[in-house]
mmCIF file of all heavy atoms in Angstrom:
data_model
loop_
_atom_site.group_PDB
_atom_site.id
_atom_site.type_symbol
_atom_site.label_atom_id
_atom_site.label_comp_id
_atom_site.label_asym_id
_atom_site.label_seq_id
_atom_site.Cartn_x
_atom_site.Cartn_y
_atom_site.Cartn_z
ATOM 1 N N ARG A 444 -26.473 -19.617 -20.136
ATOM 2 C CA ARG A 444 -25.164 -19.425 -19.514
ATOM 3 C C ARG A 444 -25.296 -18.803 -18.129
ATOM 4 O O ARG A 444 -24.631 -19.234 -17.176
ATOM 5 C CB ARG A 444 -24.301 -18.535 -20.398
ATOM 6 C CG ARG A 444 -22.861 -18.374 -19.901
ATOM 7 C CD ARG A 444 -22.225 -17.124 -20.453
ATOM 8 N NE ARG A 444 -22.919 -15.930 -19.968
ATOM 9 C CZ ARG A 444 -23.018 -14.798 -20.651
ATOM 10 N NH1 ARG A 444 -22.508 -14.697 -21.851
ATOM 11 N NH2 ARG A 444 -23.657 -13.766 -20.135
ATOM 12 N N VAL A 445 -26.139 -17.789 -17.998
ATOM 13 C CA VAL A 445 -26.330 -17.145 -16.696
ATOM 14 C C VAL A 445 -26.909 -18.139 -15.684
ATOM 15 O O VAL A 445 -26.516 -18.139 -14.515
ATOM 16 C CB VAL A 445 -27.245 -15.906 -16.836
ATOM 17 C CG1 VAL A 445 -27.742 -15.441 -15.467
ATOM 18 C CG2 VAL A 445 -26.488 -14.773 -17.524
ATOM 19 N N THR A 446 -27.816 -18.996 -16.149
ATOM 20 C CA THR A 446 -28.404 -19.999 -15.257
ATOM 21 C C THR A 446 -27.338 -20.970 -14.766
ATOM 22 O O THR A 446 -27.256 -21.280 -13.571
ATOM 23 C CB THR A 446 -29.529 -20.762 -15.971
ATOM 24 O OG1 THR A 446 -30.532 -19.830 -16.399
ATOM 25 C CG2 THR A 446 -30.155 -21.791 -15.043
ATOM 26 N N ARG A 447 -26.497 -21.469 -15.682
ATOM 27 C CA ARG A 447 -25.427 -22.394 -15.291
ATOM 28 C C ARG A 447 -24.432 -21.712 -14.357
ATOM 29 O O ARG A 447 -24.048 -22.270 -13.316
ATOM 30 C CB ARG A 447 -24.694 -22.923 -16.528
ATOM 31 C CG ARG A 447 -25.480 -23.884 -17.375
ATOM 32 C CD ARG A 447 -24.573 -24.553 -18.407
ATOM 33 N NE ARG A 447 -23.895 -23.577 -19.257
ATOM 34 C CZ ARG A 447 -24.401 -23.068 -20.364
ATOM 35 N NH1 ARG A 447 -25.606 -23.439 -20.779
ATOM 36 N NH2 ARG A 447 -23.714 -22.197 -21.096
ATOM 37 N N ASP A 448 -24.008 -20.501 -14.732
ATOM 38 C CA ASP A 448 -23.024 -19.793 -13.913
ATOM 39 C C ASP A 448 -23.611 -19.421 -12.557
ATOM 40 O O ASP A 448 -22.920 -19.487 -11.533
ATOM 41 C CB ASP A 448 -22.555 -18.521 -14.626
ATOM 42 C CG ASP A 448 -21.680 -18.830 -15.831
ATOM 43 O OD1 ASP A 448 -21.278 -19.992 -15.999
ATOM 44 O OD2 ASP A 448 -21.403 -17.892 -16.610
ATOM 45 N N GLY A 449 -24.864 -19.032 -12.537
ATOM 46 C CA GLY A 449 -25.474 -18.629 -11.281
ATOM 47 C C GLY A 449 -25.667 -19.775 -10.317
ATOM 48 O O GLY A 449 -25.564 -19.590 -9.096
ATOM 49 N N LEU A 450 -25.916 -20.964 -10.861
ATOM 50 C CA LEU A 450 -26.205 -22.106 -9.994
ATOM 51 C C LEU A 450 -25.001 -22.994 -9.699
ATOM 52 O O LEU A 450 -24.810 -23.410 -8.550
ATOM 53 C CB LEU A 450 -27.297 -22.973 -10.638
ATOM 54 C CG LEU A 450 -28.748 -22.595 -10.383
ATOM 55 C CD1 LEU A 450 -29.672 -23.519 -11.176
ATOM 56 C CD2 LEU A 450 -29.070 -22.683 -8.899
ATOM 57 N N ALA A 451 -24.193 -23.272 -10.694
ATOM 58 C CA ALA A 451 -23.250 -24.380 -10.538
ATOM 59 C C ALA A 451 -21.810 -24.119 -10.941
ATOM 60 O O ALA A 451 -20.903 -24.776 -10.417
ATOM 61 C CB ALA A 451 -23.770 -25.590 -11.336
ATOM 62 N N THR A 452 -21.530 -23.225 -11.874
ATOM 63 C CA THR A 452 -20.154 -23.043 -12.336
ATOM 64 C C THR A 452 -19.245 -22.655 -11.173
ATOM 65 O O THR A 452 -19.555 -21.706 -10.451
ATOM 66 C CB THR A 452 -20.074 -21.963 -13.421
ATOM 67 O OG1 THR A 452 -20.972 -22.277 -14.481
ATOM 68 C CG2 THR A 452 -18.660 -21.852 -13.972
ATOM 69 N N PRO A 453 -18.115 -23.367 -10.974
ATOM 70 C CA PRO A 453 -17.213 -23.009 -9.868
ATOM 71 C C PRO A 453 -16.705 -21.579 -10.000
ATOM 72 O O PRO A 453 -16.487 -21.081 -11.119
ATOM 73 C CB PRO A 453 -16.064 -24.018 -10.017
ATOM 74 C CG PRO A 453 -16.653 -25.162 -10.766
ATOM 75 C CD PRO A 453 -17.655 -24.557 -11.705
ATOM 76 N N TYR A 454 -16.498 -20.941 -8.868
ATOM 77 C CA TYR A 454 -16.076 -19.542 -8.890
ATOM 78 C C TYR A 454 -14.693 -19.365 -9.502
ATOM 79 O O TYR A 454 -14.407 -18.326 -10.099
ATOM 80 C CB TYR A 454 -16.098 -18.964 -7.476
ATOM 81 C CG TYR A 454 -17.386 -18.247 -7.144
ATOM 82 C CD1 TYR A 454 -18.367 -18.861 -6.374
ATOM 83 C CD2 TYR A 454 -17.647 -16.955 -7.604
ATOM 84 C CE1 TYR A 454 -19.555 -18.216 -6.066
ATOM 85 C CE2 TYR A 454 -18.822 -16.306 -7.312
ATOM 86 C CZ TYR A 454 -19.775 -16.934 -6.538
ATOM 87 O OH TYR A 454 -20.948 -16.285 -6.250
ATOM 88 N N ASP A 455 -13.816 -20.351 -9.367
ATOM 89 C CA ASP A 455 -12.488 -20.186 -9.968
ATOM 90 C C ASP A 455 -12.577 -20.159 -11.489
ATOM 91 O O ASP A 455 -11.831 -19.426 -12.159
ATOM 92 C CB ASP A 455 -11.535 -21.288 -9.496
ATOM 93 C CG ASP A 455 -12.069 -22.696 -9.757
ATOM 94 O OD1 ASP A 455 -13.233 -22.832 -10.197
ATOM 95 O OD2 ASP A 455 -11.324 -23.660 -9.517
ATOM 96 N N ALA A 456 -13.532 -20.903 -12.056
ATOM 97 C CA ALA A 456 -13.734 -20.857 -13.500
ATOM 98 C C ALA A 456 -14.307 -19.498 -13.920
ATOM 99 O O ALA A 456 -13.904 -18.933 -14.946
ATOM 100 C CB ALA A 456 -14.682 -21.982 -13.941
ATOM 101 N N LEU A 457 -15.221 -18.975 -13.126
ATOM 102 C CA LEU A 457 -15.769 -17.646 -13.418
ATOM 103 C C LEU A 457 -14.682 -16.582 -13.311
ATOM 104 O O LEU A 457 -14.638 -15.644 -14.116
ATOM 105 C CB LEU A 457 -16.915 -17.327 -12.450
ATOM 106 C CG LEU A 457 -18.160 -18.214 -12.547
ATOM 107 C CD1 LEU A 457 -19.171 -17.819 -11.476
ATOM 108 C CD2 LEU A 457 -18.787 -18.111 -13.925
ATOM 109 N N GLN A 458 -13.783 -16.745 -12.323
ATOM 110 C CA GLN A 458 -12.708 -15.782 -12.140
ATOM 111 C C GLN A 458 -11.752 -15.794 -13.325
ATOM 112 O O GLN A 458 -11.334 -14.740 -13.811
ATOM 113 C CB GLN A 458 -11.945 -16.099 -10.849
ATOM 114 C CG GLN A 458 -10.797 -15.165 -10.542
ATOM 115 C CD GLN A 458 -11.248 -13.743 -10.301
ATOM 116 O OE1 GLN A 458 -12.365 -13.520 -9.843
ATOM 117 N NE2 GLN A 458 -10.402 -12.769 -10.613
ATOM 118 N N ARG A 459 -11.421 -16.965 -13.822
ATOM 119 C CA ARG A 459 -10.533 -17.060 -14.990
ATOM 120 C C ARG A 459 -11.183 -16.413 -16.207
ATOM 121 O O ARG A 459 -10.516 -15.704 -16.978
ATOM 122 C CB ARG A 459 -10.207 -18.532 -15.284
ATOM 123 C CG ARG A 459 -9.239 -19.166 -14.293
ATOM 124 C CD ARG A 459 -8.682 -20.467 -14.838
ATOM 125 N NE ARG A 459 -9.735 -21.449 -15.064
ATOM 126 C CZ ARG A 459 -10.162 -22.311 -14.159
ATOM 127 N NH1 ARG A 459 -9.619 -22.306 -12.937
ATOM 128 N NH2 ARG A 459 -11.111 -23.188 -14.434
ATOM 129 N N ALA A 460 -12.475 -16.625 -16.376
ATOM 130 C CA ALA A 460 -13.183 -16.013 -17.500
ATOM 131 C C ALA A 460 -13.176 -14.491 -17.383
ATOM 132 O O ALA A 460 -13.000 -13.780 -18.383
ATOM 133 C CB ALA A 460 -14.618 -16.537 -17.556
#
Side-chain angles (χ1 to χ4, degrees):
R444 185 202 64 211
V445 165
T446 301
R447 289 191 303 273
D448 289 349
L450 274 176
T452 305
Y454 265 101
D455 55 354
L457 295 177
Q458 180 64 29
R459 287 195 298 271

